Short mmCIF file of all heavy atoms in Angstrom, two decimals:
data_model
loop_
_atom_site.label_atom_id
_atom_site.label_comp_id
_atom_site.label_asym_id
_atom_site.label_seq_id
_atom_site.Cartn_x
_atom_site.Cartn_y
_atom_site.Cartn_z
N MET A 389 0.80 -1.21 0.02
CA MET A 389 -0.03 0.02 0.02
C MET A 389 0.90 1.19 -0.01
O MET A 389 1.76 1.43 0.76
CB MET A 389 -0.87 -0.08 1.24
CG MET A 389 -1.90 1.20 1.44
SD MET A 389 -3.14 0.84 2.55
CE MET A 389 -2.63 2.21 3.68
N THR A 390 0.65 2.24 -0.96
CA THR A 390 1.53 3.34 -1.08
C THR A 390 0.64 4.53 -0.53
O THR A 390 -0.55 4.51 -0.62
CB THR A 390 1.98 3.75 -2.47
OG1 THR A 390 0.75 3.75 -3.22
CG2 THR A 390 2.79 2.52 -2.97
N LYS A 391 1.26 5.45 0.15
CA LYS A 391 0.64 6.57 0.66
C LYS A 391 0.76 7.82 -0.20
O LYS A 391 1.92 8.01 -0.78
CB LYS A 391 1.14 6.86 2.01
CG LYS A 391 0.95 5.78 3.08
CD LYS A 391 1.34 6.26 4.34
CE LYS A 391 0.95 5.25 5.32
NZ LYS A 391 1.13 5.47 6.76
N LYS A 392 -0.28 8.55 -0.46
CA LYS A 392 -0.27 9.63 -1.08
C LYS A 392 0.51 10.88 -0.40
O LYS A 392 0.24 10.91 0.70
CB LYS A 392 -1.64 10.21 -1.51
CG LYS A 392 -2.50 9.23 -2.32
CD LYS A 392 -3.92 9.91 -2.61
CE LYS A 392 -4.83 9.04 -3.29
NZ LYS A 392 -6.10 9.49 -3.59
N GLU A 393 1.09 11.57 -1.20
CA GLU A 393 1.79 12.78 -0.58
C GLU A 393 0.84 13.89 -0.60
O GLU A 393 0.24 14.17 -1.65
CB GLU A 393 2.98 13.07 -1.32
CG GLU A 393 3.83 14.33 -0.77
CD GLU A 393 5.09 14.56 -1.59
OE1 GLU A 393 5.75 13.56 -1.88
OE2 GLU A 393 5.39 15.74 -1.67
N ARG A 394 0.50 14.41 0.50
CA ARG A 394 -0.41 15.52 0.64
C ARG A 394 0.09 16.84 0.98
O ARG A 394 1.15 16.92 1.80
CB ARG A 394 -1.58 15.18 1.53
CG ARG A 394 -2.32 13.98 1.26
CD ARG A 394 -3.29 13.55 2.23
NE ARG A 394 -2.76 12.86 3.28
CZ ARG A 394 -3.29 12.32 4.37
NH1 ARG A 394 -4.64 12.55 4.52
NH2 ARG A 394 -2.68 11.66 5.18
N VAL A 395 -0.35 17.89 0.38
CA VAL A 395 0.20 19.39 0.68
C VAL A 395 -1.00 20.13 0.99
O VAL A 395 -2.07 20.09 0.30
CB VAL A 395 0.94 19.70 -0.48
CG1 VAL A 395 1.37 21.18 -0.24
CG2 VAL A 395 2.16 18.87 -0.90
N LEU A 396 -0.94 20.95 2.04
CA LEU A 396 -2.08 21.80 2.49
C LEU A 396 -1.68 23.26 1.82
O LEU A 396 -0.75 23.80 2.00
CB LEU A 396 -2.07 21.95 3.99
CG LEU A 396 -3.09 22.90 4.54
CD1 LEU A 396 -4.48 22.44 4.15
CD2 LEU A 396 -3.05 23.10 5.97
N LYS A 397 -2.64 23.53 1.03
CA LYS A 397 -2.55 24.97 0.47
C LYS A 397 -3.84 25.82 0.90
O LYS A 397 -4.97 25.36 0.64
CB LYS A 397 -2.57 24.96 -1.07
CG LYS A 397 -1.21 24.19 -1.59
CD LYS A 397 -1.28 24.21 -3.21
CE LYS A 397 -0.07 23.41 -3.63
NZ LYS A 397 -0.05 23.46 -5.11
N LEU A 398 -3.39 26.97 1.52
CA LEU A 398 -4.50 27.89 1.86
C LEU A 398 -4.24 29.24 1.36
O LEU A 398 -3.17 29.59 1.36
CB LEU A 398 -4.47 27.96 3.54
CG LEU A 398 -4.61 26.62 4.33
CD1 LEU A 398 -4.47 26.85 5.86
CD2 LEU A 398 -6.03 26.11 4.16
N THR A 399 -5.33 29.85 1.05
CA THR A 399 -5.24 31.17 0.61
C THR A 399 -5.15 32.15 1.63
O THR A 399 -4.62 33.24 1.58
CB THR A 399 -6.45 31.55 -0.43
OG1 THR A 399 -7.72 31.32 0.34
CG2 THR A 399 -6.42 30.80 -1.54
N VAL A 400 -5.73 31.72 2.77
CA VAL A 400 -5.73 32.63 4.07
C VAL A 400 -5.35 31.66 5.27
O VAL A 400 -5.68 30.52 5.30
CB VAL A 400 -7.23 32.98 4.39
CG1 VAL A 400 -7.17 34.04 5.65
CG2 VAL A 400 -7.87 33.87 3.22
N HIS A 401 -4.52 32.27 6.10
CA HIS A 401 -3.89 31.61 7.24
C HIS A 401 -5.08 31.17 8.06
O HIS A 401 -5.94 31.87 8.54
CB HIS A 401 -2.95 32.46 8.03
CG HIS A 401 -2.50 31.80 9.23
ND1 HIS A 401 -1.52 30.86 9.17
CD2 HIS A 401 -2.61 31.94 10.50
CE1 HIS A 401 -1.19 30.39 10.29
NE2 HIS A 401 -1.94 31.11 11.22
N ASP A 402 -5.04 29.78 8.45
CA ASP A 402 -6.12 29.19 9.26
C ASP A 402 -5.48 28.16 10.06
O ASP A 402 -5.26 27.04 9.52
CB ASP A 402 -7.40 28.70 8.29
CG ASP A 402 -8.47 28.17 9.16
OD1 ASP A 402 -8.38 28.19 10.32
OD2 ASP A 402 -9.42 27.72 8.55
N GLU A 403 -5.28 28.53 11.36
CA GLU A 403 -4.58 27.43 12.26
C GLU A 403 -5.53 26.24 12.54
O GLU A 403 -4.98 25.18 12.62
CB GLU A 403 -4.24 28.23 13.60
CG GLU A 403 -3.14 29.21 13.57
CD GLU A 403 -2.82 29.60 14.90
OE1 GLU A 403 -3.04 29.01 15.90
OE2 GLU A 403 -2.43 30.80 14.95
N GLU A 404 -6.65 26.41 12.43
CA GLU A 404 -7.58 25.26 12.74
C GLU A 404 -7.52 24.21 11.60
O GLU A 404 -7.40 22.97 11.88
CB GLU A 404 -9.10 25.73 12.92
CG GLU A 404 -9.91 24.58 13.40
CD GLU A 404 -11.34 25.19 13.77
OE1 GLU A 404 -11.45 26.13 14.38
OE2 GLU A 404 -12.31 24.43 13.26
N GLN A 405 -7.44 24.65 10.34
CA GLN A 405 -7.34 23.89 9.09
C GLN A 405 -5.95 23.19 9.20
O GLN A 405 -5.80 22.01 8.94
CB GLN A 405 -7.61 24.51 7.97
CG GLN A 405 -9.05 24.70 7.54
CD GLN A 405 -9.12 25.29 6.10
OE1 GLN A 405 -8.47 26.15 5.74
NE2 GLN A 405 -10.19 24.70 5.39
N GLU A 406 -4.90 23.96 9.62
CA GLU A 406 -3.57 23.37 9.72
C GLU A 406 -3.43 22.28 10.73
O GLU A 406 -2.88 21.15 10.42
CB GLU A 406 -2.61 24.46 10.02
CG GLU A 406 -2.31 25.41 8.90
CD GLU A 406 -1.40 26.59 9.33
OE1 GLU A 406 -0.53 26.29 10.22
OE2 GLU A 406 -1.40 27.57 8.74
N LEU A 407 -4.00 22.58 11.82
CA LEU A 407 -4.03 21.46 12.95
C LEU A 407 -4.74 20.23 12.59
O LEU A 407 -4.33 19.21 12.69
CB LEU A 407 -4.65 22.11 14.19
CG LEU A 407 -4.60 21.16 15.37
CD1 LEU A 407 -3.28 20.76 15.74
CD2 LEU A 407 -5.35 21.81 16.58
N GLU A 408 -5.96 20.48 11.88
CA GLU A 408 -6.75 19.28 11.42
C GLU A 408 -5.90 18.44 10.35
O GLU A 408 -5.89 17.24 10.45
CB GLU A 408 -8.05 19.82 10.85
CG GLU A 408 -9.02 18.60 10.49
CD GLU A 408 -10.42 19.22 10.05
OE1 GLU A 408 -10.77 20.19 10.66
OE2 GLU A 408 -10.88 18.63 9.10
N PHE A 409 -5.28 19.22 9.47
CA PHE A 409 -4.55 18.51 8.43
C PHE A 409 -3.34 17.69 9.08
O PHE A 409 -3.16 16.60 8.69
CB PHE A 409 -3.86 19.65 7.56
CG PHE A 409 -3.01 19.02 6.40
CD1 PHE A 409 -3.63 18.41 5.29
CD2 PHE A 409 -1.62 19.11 6.57
CE1 PHE A 409 -2.85 17.86 4.28
CE2 PHE A 409 -0.81 18.52 5.53
CZ PHE A 409 -1.42 18.05 4.37
N GLU A 410 -2.64 18.38 10.11
CA GLU A 410 -1.67 17.59 10.68
C GLU A 410 -2.00 16.40 11.44
O GLU A 410 -1.43 15.37 11.41
CB GLU A 410 -0.93 18.64 11.66
CG GLU A 410 0.50 18.11 12.17
CD GLU A 410 1.60 18.08 11.30
OE1 GLU A 410 1.50 18.78 10.33
OE2 GLU A 410 2.44 17.27 11.61
N LEU A 411 -3.16 16.63 12.20
CA LEU A 411 -3.66 15.47 13.05
C LEU A 411 -4.09 14.28 11.96
O LEU A 411 -3.94 13.15 12.36
CB LEU A 411 -4.76 15.85 13.86
CG LEU A 411 -4.36 16.75 15.10
CD1 LEU A 411 -5.67 17.25 15.76
CD2 LEU A 411 -3.42 15.96 16.03
N ASP A 412 -4.67 14.76 11.06
CA ASP A 412 -5.14 13.62 9.98
C ASP A 412 -3.90 13.02 9.34
O ASP A 412 -3.90 11.64 9.26
CB ASP A 412 -5.83 14.38 8.76
CG ASP A 412 -6.45 13.37 7.72
OD1 ASP A 412 -6.95 12.35 8.13
OD2 ASP A 412 -6.19 13.56 6.60
N TYR A 413 -2.81 13.63 9.13
CA TYR A 413 -1.61 13.04 8.64
C TYR A 413 -1.09 11.99 9.75
O TYR A 413 -0.66 10.93 9.41
CB TYR A 413 -0.65 14.03 8.35
CG TYR A 413 0.81 13.49 8.07
CD1 TYR A 413 1.11 12.68 6.97
CD2 TYR A 413 1.79 13.66 9.00
CE1 TYR A 413 2.35 12.11 6.75
CE2 TYR A 413 3.07 13.02 8.81
CZ TYR A 413 3.39 12.38 7.70
OH TYR A 413 4.61 11.64 7.45
N LEU A 414 -0.79 12.44 10.97
CA LEU A 414 -0.39 11.80 11.92
C LEU A 414 -1.14 10.47 12.27
O LEU A 414 -0.63 9.37 12.59
CB LEU A 414 -0.11 12.50 13.28
CG LEU A 414 0.86 13.59 13.32
CD1 LEU A 414 0.86 14.47 14.50
CD2 LEU A 414 2.21 13.04 12.97
N SER A 415 -2.48 10.57 12.13
CA SER A 415 -3.39 9.42 12.48
C SER A 415 -3.31 8.43 11.39
O SER A 415 -3.64 7.25 11.45
CB SER A 415 -4.85 9.89 12.67
OG SER A 415 -5.32 10.48 11.50
N SER A 416 -2.72 8.84 10.14
CA SER A 416 -2.76 7.81 8.96
C SER A 416 -1.44 7.05 9.23
O SER A 416 -1.23 6.04 8.42
CB SER A 416 -2.67 8.68 7.71
OG SER A 416 -1.45 9.31 7.43
N LEU A 417 -0.41 7.50 10.08
CA LEU A 417 0.80 6.80 10.28
C LEU A 417 0.55 5.54 11.18
O LEU A 417 -0.24 5.51 12.08
CB LEU A 417 1.81 7.64 10.82
CG LEU A 417 2.29 8.87 9.96
CD1 LEU A 417 3.25 9.74 10.77
CD2 LEU A 417 2.93 8.51 8.61
N THR A 418 1.40 4.54 10.99
CA THR A 418 1.40 3.36 11.88
C THR A 418 2.12 3.74 13.13
O THR A 418 2.98 4.67 13.09
CB THR A 418 2.00 2.15 11.28
OG1 THR A 418 3.44 2.40 10.99
CG2 THR A 418 1.37 1.71 9.95
N PHE A 419 2.03 3.04 14.25
CA PHE A 419 2.73 3.18 15.42
C PHE A 419 4.30 3.25 15.10
O PHE A 419 4.96 4.03 15.71
CB PHE A 419 2.34 2.23 16.45
CG PHE A 419 3.12 2.33 17.80
CD1 PHE A 419 2.69 3.42 18.62
CD2 PHE A 419 4.03 1.44 18.14
CE1 PHE A 419 3.30 3.50 19.81
CE2 PHE A 419 4.70 1.64 19.26
CZ PHE A 419 4.35 2.64 20.26
N GLU A 420 4.74 2.28 14.40
CA GLU A 420 6.16 2.23 14.18
C GLU A 420 6.68 3.32 13.34
O GLU A 420 7.83 3.78 13.60
CB GLU A 420 6.48 0.96 13.19
CG GLU A 420 6.39 -0.42 14.07
CD GLU A 420 4.89 -0.88 14.15
OE1 GLU A 420 3.94 -0.44 13.54
OE2 GLU A 420 4.58 -1.83 15.10
N GLU A 421 5.84 3.89 12.42
CA GLU A 421 6.34 5.07 11.65
C GLU A 421 6.27 6.28 12.40
O GLU A 421 7.34 7.18 12.38
CB GLU A 421 5.25 5.33 10.52
CG GLU A 421 5.40 4.33 9.34
CD GLU A 421 4.11 4.46 8.33
OE1 GLU A 421 3.12 4.85 8.75
OE2 GLU A 421 4.45 4.18 7.18
N ARG A 422 5.36 6.47 13.48
CA ARG A 422 5.42 7.56 14.43
C ARG A 422 6.68 7.47 15.33
O ARG A 422 7.25 8.45 15.62
CB ARG A 422 4.21 7.63 15.24
CG ARG A 422 3.08 8.15 14.54
CD ARG A 422 1.85 8.36 15.24
NE ARG A 422 1.02 7.05 15.05
CZ ARG A 422 -0.08 6.81 15.66
NH1 ARG A 422 -0.52 7.50 16.78
NH2 ARG A 422 -0.74 5.66 15.38
N LEU A 423 6.98 6.25 15.93
CA LEU A 423 8.17 6.20 16.62
C LEU A 423 9.44 6.40 15.84
O LEU A 423 10.36 7.21 16.38
CB LEU A 423 8.32 4.70 17.05
CG LEU A 423 7.55 4.22 18.29
CD1 LEU A 423 7.68 2.88 18.62
CD2 LEU A 423 7.79 5.14 19.51
N LYS A 424 9.55 5.97 14.54
CA LYS A 424 10.63 6.24 13.82
C LYS A 424 10.84 7.73 13.67
O LYS A 424 11.92 8.36 13.63
CB LYS A 424 10.55 5.64 12.41
CG LYS A 424 11.64 5.87 11.48
CD LYS A 424 11.45 5.13 10.17
CE LYS A 424 12.58 5.53 9.24
NZ LYS A 424 12.32 5.06 7.78
N MET A 425 9.71 8.51 13.28
CA MET A 425 9.78 9.97 13.12
C MET A 425 10.20 10.63 14.37
O MET A 425 10.96 11.45 14.45
CB MET A 425 8.30 10.44 12.86
CG MET A 425 8.31 11.85 12.47
SD MET A 425 6.59 12.49 12.24
CE MET A 425 6.17 11.74 10.70
N MET A 426 9.73 10.18 15.61
CA MET A 426 10.21 10.72 16.86
C MET A 426 11.61 10.46 17.10
O MET A 426 12.34 11.43 17.58
CB MET A 426 9.28 10.08 17.98
CG MET A 426 9.59 10.68 19.35
SD MET A 426 8.76 9.79 20.54
CE MET A 426 9.45 8.29 20.73
N ARG A 427 12.10 9.35 16.79
CA ARG A 427 13.66 9.10 16.96
C ARG A 427 14.40 9.91 16.05
O ARG A 427 15.38 10.53 16.48
CB ARG A 427 13.91 7.72 16.70
CG ARG A 427 13.39 6.70 17.83
CD ARG A 427 13.86 5.26 17.60
NE ARG A 427 13.16 4.28 18.50
CZ ARG A 427 12.39 3.39 18.20
NH1 ARG A 427 12.08 3.20 16.86
NH2 ARG A 427 11.73 2.68 19.10
N GLU A 428 13.93 10.13 14.85
CA GLU A 428 14.87 11.01 13.86
C GLU A 428 14.77 12.47 14.40
O GLU A 428 15.80 13.12 14.31
CB GLU A 428 14.08 10.91 12.65
CG GLU A 428 14.32 9.68 11.83
CD GLU A 428 13.60 9.38 10.59
OE1 GLU A 428 12.84 10.40 10.16
OE2 GLU A 428 13.67 8.43 9.83
N LYS A 429 13.61 12.95 14.90
CA LYS A 429 13.64 14.37 15.30
C LYS A 429 14.48 14.48 16.61
O LYS A 429 15.03 15.56 16.75
CB LYS A 429 12.12 14.67 15.65
CG LYS A 429 11.28 14.93 14.42
CD LYS A 429 11.79 16.06 13.70
CE LYS A 429 10.93 16.29 12.48
NZ LYS A 429 11.47 17.36 11.50
N SER A 430 14.42 13.53 17.48
CA SER A 430 15.40 13.41 18.67
C SER A 430 16.76 13.65 18.31
O SER A 430 17.53 14.33 18.86
CB SER A 430 15.08 12.28 19.54
OG SER A 430 13.81 12.33 20.14
N ARG A 431 17.24 12.69 17.33
CA ARG A 431 18.59 12.80 16.74
C ARG A 431 18.97 14.29 16.24
O ARG A 431 20.01 14.75 16.44
CB ARG A 431 18.81 11.74 15.79
CG ARG A 431 19.15 10.46 16.38
CD ARG A 431 19.55 9.36 15.31
NE ARG A 431 19.03 8.02 15.66
CZ ARG A 431 18.02 7.54 15.06
NH1 ARG A 431 17.50 8.11 14.05
NH2 ARG A 431 17.47 6.43 15.45
N GLU A 432 18.02 14.77 15.50
CA GLU A 432 18.11 16.01 14.90
C GLU A 432 18.35 17.13 15.90
O GLU A 432 19.23 18.03 15.78
CB GLU A 432 16.97 16.40 13.93
CG GLU A 432 17.05 17.69 13.14
CD GLU A 432 15.72 17.85 12.35
OE1 GLU A 432 15.26 16.91 11.72
OE2 GLU A 432 15.20 19.00 12.42
N MET A 433 17.47 17.14 16.92
CA MET A 433 17.61 18.13 17.97
C MET A 433 18.83 18.02 18.72
O MET A 433 19.50 18.99 19.05
CB MET A 433 16.38 18.03 18.86
CG MET A 433 15.13 18.50 18.30
SD MET A 433 13.66 18.79 19.51
CE MET A 433 13.72 17.23 20.19
N LEU A 434 19.31 16.83 18.97
CA LEU A 434 20.62 16.59 19.73
C LEU A 434 21.66 17.13 18.86
O LEU A 434 22.61 17.81 19.42
CB LEU A 434 20.76 15.13 19.99
CG LEU A 434 22.09 14.64 20.71
CD1 LEU A 434 22.16 15.41 22.21
CD2 LEU A 434 22.19 13.21 20.95
N LYS A 435 21.74 16.81 17.52
CA LYS A 435 22.75 17.35 16.75
C LYS A 435 22.76 18.73 16.68
O LYS A 435 23.89 19.39 16.74
CB LYS A 435 22.59 16.87 15.21
CG LYS A 435 23.67 17.23 14.31
CD LYS A 435 23.43 16.71 12.97
CE LYS A 435 24.39 17.23 11.94
NZ LYS A 435 24.77 18.68 12.01
N GLN A 436 21.67 19.55 16.73
CA GLN A 436 21.59 20.99 16.74
C GLN A 436 22.18 21.48 18.09
O GLN A 436 22.81 22.46 18.05
CB GLN A 436 20.25 21.54 16.55
CG GLN A 436 19.63 21.36 15.08
CD GLN A 436 18.23 21.82 15.00
OE1 GLN A 436 17.64 22.16 15.88
NE2 GLN A 436 17.86 21.86 13.65
N MET A 437 21.85 20.80 19.17
CA MET A 437 22.28 21.24 20.41
C MET A 437 23.93 21.14 20.46
O MET A 437 24.60 22.00 21.10
CB MET A 437 21.68 20.49 21.60
CG MET A 437 20.24 20.67 21.83
SD MET A 437 19.46 19.80 23.06
CE MET A 437 20.30 20.39 24.50
N ILE A 438 24.43 20.02 19.93
CA ILE A 438 25.84 19.91 19.96
C ILE A 438 26.50 20.95 19.06
O ILE A 438 27.50 21.42 19.38
CB ILE A 438 26.22 18.44 19.34
CG1 ILE A 438 25.79 17.41 20.45
CG2 ILE A 438 27.78 18.24 19.05
CD1 ILE A 438 25.90 16.00 20.00
N ASP A 439 25.92 21.22 17.95
CA ASP A 439 26.44 22.27 16.97
C ASP A 439 26.41 23.63 17.61
O ASP A 439 27.29 24.50 17.18
CB ASP A 439 25.64 22.29 15.62
CG ASP A 439 25.81 21.10 14.84
OD1 ASP A 439 26.77 20.25 15.12
OD2 ASP A 439 24.94 20.81 13.90
N HIS A 440 25.56 23.87 18.53
CA HIS A 440 25.44 25.24 19.20
C HIS A 440 26.14 25.26 20.60
O HIS A 440 25.86 26.14 21.34
CB HIS A 440 23.99 25.74 19.26
CG HIS A 440 23.44 25.99 17.87
ND1 HIS A 440 22.64 24.96 17.06
CD2 HIS A 440 23.56 27.14 17.26
CE1 HIS A 440 22.44 25.61 16.05
NE2 HIS A 440 22.83 26.93 15.97
N GLY A 441 26.84 24.18 20.91
CA GLY A 441 27.62 24.08 22.12
C GLY A 441 26.79 23.86 23.40
O GLY A 441 27.21 24.29 24.54
N HIS A 442 25.63 23.26 23.32
CA HIS A 442 24.70 22.93 24.43
C HIS A 442 24.66 21.49 24.61
O HIS A 442 23.64 20.96 24.94
CB HIS A 442 23.35 23.39 24.10
CG HIS A 442 23.32 24.98 24.18
ND1 HIS A 442 23.52 25.82 25.15
CD2 HIS A 442 23.19 25.81 22.98
CE1 HIS A 442 23.48 27.20 24.71
NE2 HIS A 442 23.15 27.04 23.50
N ARG A 443 25.77 20.74 24.61
CA ARG A 443 25.79 19.21 24.83
C ARG A 443 25.53 18.88 26.11
O ARG A 443 24.74 18.05 26.49
CB ARG A 443 27.25 18.67 24.33
CG ARG A 443 27.29 17.19 24.52
CD ARG A 443 26.40 16.41 23.71
NE ARG A 443 26.64 15.09 23.81
CZ ARG A 443 25.83 14.15 24.18
NH1 ARG A 443 24.65 14.48 24.44
NH2 ARG A 443 26.12 12.86 24.24
N ARG A 444 26.24 19.52 27.22
CA ARG A 444 25.93 19.08 28.60
C ARG A 444 24.83 19.90 29.20
O ARG A 444 24.52 21.00 28.89
CB ARG A 444 27.14 19.49 29.36
CG ARG A 444 28.44 18.61 28.88
CD ARG A 444 29.77 19.05 29.62
NE ARG A 444 29.45 18.83 31.11
CZ ARG A 444 30.21 19.48 32.01
NH1 ARG A 444 31.17 20.38 31.64
NH2 ARG A 444 29.93 19.14 33.27
N PRO A 445 23.97 19.23 29.96
CA PRO A 445 22.99 19.93 30.76
C PRO A 445 23.46 21.00 31.66
O PRO A 445 24.57 20.90 32.10
CB PRO A 445 22.27 18.77 31.43
CG PRO A 445 23.39 17.77 31.74
CD PRO A 445 24.20 17.87 30.59
N PHE A 446 22.61 21.85 31.99
CA PHE A 446 22.97 22.90 32.99
C PHE A 446 23.30 22.31 34.24
O PHE A 446 22.77 21.21 34.85
CB PHE A 446 21.72 23.76 33.19
CG PHE A 446 21.44 24.71 31.98
CD1 PHE A 446 20.37 24.44 31.14
CD2 PHE A 446 22.31 25.73 31.67
CE1 PHE A 446 20.10 25.26 30.08
CE2 PHE A 446 22.07 26.51 30.53
CZ PHE A 446 20.96 26.25 29.76
N GLU A 447 24.24 22.85 34.97
CA GLU A 447 24.74 22.33 36.37
C GLU A 447 24.35 23.40 37.39
O GLU A 447 24.31 24.64 37.09
CB GLU A 447 26.14 22.24 36.25
CG GLU A 447 26.77 21.19 35.29
CD GLU A 447 28.27 21.16 35.27
OE1 GLU A 447 28.95 21.96 36.06
OE2 GLU A 447 28.85 20.30 34.53
N ILE A 448 24.06 22.84 38.50
CA ILE A 448 23.59 23.75 39.64
C ILE A 448 25.01 24.08 40.26
O ILE A 448 25.73 23.14 40.86
CB ILE A 448 22.71 23.10 40.49
CG1 ILE A 448 21.40 22.78 39.83
CG2 ILE A 448 22.42 23.93 41.82
CD1 ILE A 448 20.44 22.02 40.61
N ILE A 449 25.16 25.35 40.47
CA ILE A 449 26.43 25.70 41.10
C ILE A 449 26.13 26.31 42.48
O ILE A 449 25.30 27.22 42.54
CB ILE A 449 27.31 26.87 40.21
CG1 ILE A 449 27.53 26.33 38.97
CG2 ILE A 449 28.47 27.39 40.89
CD1 ILE A 449 28.02 27.37 38.01
N LYS A 450 26.79 25.71 43.51
CA LYS A 450 26.48 26.11 44.92
C LYS A 450 27.45 27.32 45.14
O LYS A 450 28.71 27.12 45.14
CB LYS A 450 26.75 24.94 45.77
CG LYS A 450 26.20 25.15 47.25
CD LYS A 450 26.28 23.78 48.03
CE LYS A 450 25.73 24.07 49.31
NZ LYS A 450 25.78 22.94 50.13
N ARG A 451 26.91 28.37 45.62
CA ARG A 451 27.69 29.56 46.06
C ARG A 451 28.11 29.34 47.55
O ARG A 451 27.27 28.76 48.33
CB ARG A 451 26.88 30.77 45.97
CG ARG A 451 26.80 31.14 44.51
CD ARG A 451 26.06 32.56 44.45
NE ARG A 451 25.80 32.85 43.03
CZ ARG A 451 25.28 33.95 42.74
NH1 ARG A 451 24.84 34.87 43.60
NH2 ARG A 451 25.18 34.24 41.42
N THR A 452 29.36 29.79 47.85
CA THR A 452 29.86 29.64 49.17
C THR A 452 29.82 31.04 49.83
O THR A 452 29.96 31.95 49.26
CB THR A 452 31.18 28.97 49.25
OG1 THR A 452 32.05 29.64 48.47
CG2 THR A 452 31.01 27.50 48.83
#
């Protein structure tokens, strides 16, 4: 089964239609596809953090 590529084209900005379109797309994915997408986005965000020098989490510094 092949999935159609869908594109949302609006003449006027409408957040409700955008949200409905996005939810419809996500509901068409299988559980495995959603997990794969989540892992890819996590890797992408980690790479961006490393590129911008934010690899280590914030540390709590105790003042004396």
Side-chain angles (χ1 to χ4, degrees):
M389 184 169 115
T390 61
K391 293 186 180 194
K392 294 181 184 178
E393 185 174 320
R394 296 180 275 179
V395 177
L396 178 65
K397 294 183 180 181
L398 300 174
T399 55
V400 180
H401 178 70
D402 186 356
E403 287 187 30
E404 192 171 315
Q405 278 187 322
E406 288 178 26
L407 181 60
E408 189 175 320
F409 179 81
E410 188 71 24
L411 290 174
D412 183 46
Y413 167 71
L414 290 173
S415 67
S416 72
L417 298 175
T418 65
F419 180 74
E420 289 80 16
E421 290 171 327
R422 283 183 265 171
L423 279 178
K424 181 181 174 188
M425 182 186 296
M426 183 181 69
R427 288 185 190 115
E428 288 172 359
K429 289 294 179 184
S430 293
R431 280 190 217 106
E432 181 181 317
M433 288 190 305
L434 179 61
K435 183 184 178 310
Q436 287 179 351
M437 288 180 70
I438 291 170
D439 291 346
H440 290 94
H442 297 287
R443 176 67 173 119
R444 295 180 58 206
F446 290 106
E447 295 177 1
I448 298 174
I449 300 173
K450 189 174 185 178
R451 293 186 179 182
T452 57

